[in-house]
Amino acid sequence: MTIKVGDKLPDATFNTMSPEGPKPMTTADVFGGKKVVLFAVPGAFTPTCHNTHLPGFIQMAGDMKSKGIDTIACVSVNDVFVLNAWAKQTGAEGKIVFLADGSADFTKKIGLEFDLTARGLGVRSRRYSMVVENGVVKSLNLEEGATVDKSSAATVCGML
Ligand code: BEZ
């Protein structure tokens, strides 16, 4: 079943990169007691994610924080090393927390997986953004097509 506004995010564990190396972070660690903008991309370095979706969140991170957001997080069905390389290359490091959902456990639990096996990409996440308060989904902006529209940083920032 697809997650909806008012639902609590399920328990899941992501991988994040720390100075000591890969470090697990649970949904409780990321969302507990915090107001979080979460956005999901089908893949690090893929054209629309790299050129359009992520850059908007990098540019608007300061605006979101000034509107009361504690954390801006990006989840993707990629391994933590790829996400870390993406964070470094794009200048997102320190602004956005990257959550590697390598086996799509979280993404499947919230019903937002997207099967790109036929294109050689395996199971990925649909593109969306959410505002999450203390683990509860307050808004969900899910893309239906291939563009970045509803889930963009500008749209979510305008809702804060
Ligand atoms: C993208 O352009 O972001 C994209 C391309 C192919 C698959 C998934 C995402």
Side-chain angles (χ1 to χ4, degrees), residues 30-109:
V30 179
F31 300 99
K34 296 193 188 101
K35 194 166 177 182
V36 179
V37 166
L38 174 69
F39 68 103
V41 295
F45 294 106
T46 59
T48 307
C49 307
H50 186 74
N51 296 320
T52 307
H53 207 189
L54 174 61
F57 285 89
I58 298 170
Q59 284 155 21
M60 301 194 85
D63 293 344
M64 291 181 191
K65 294 216 166 152
S66 71
K67 290 183 172 194
I69 294 299
D70 298 303
T71 306
I72 301 153
C74 174
V75 62
S76 184
V77 181
N78 284 120
D79 67 69
V80 69
F81 302 101
V82 165
L83 281 190
N84 187 47
W86 200 34
K88 284 187 187 301
Q89 205 212 69
T90 56
E93 221 178 4
K95 294 182 178 162
I96 293 167
V97 175
F98 285 84
L99 305 172
D101 186 28
S103 301
D105 292 343
F106 170 78
T107 298
K108 287 178 181 169
K109 279 183 181 177

Side-chain angles (χ1 to χ4, degrees), residues 41-43 45-50 114 116 119 121 124-125 127 146:
V41 295
F45 294 106
T46 59
T48 307
C49 307
H50 186 74
F114 180 33
L116 288 171
R119 294 173 64 185
L121 291 155
R124 299 296 180 111
S125 175
R127 191 185 302 285

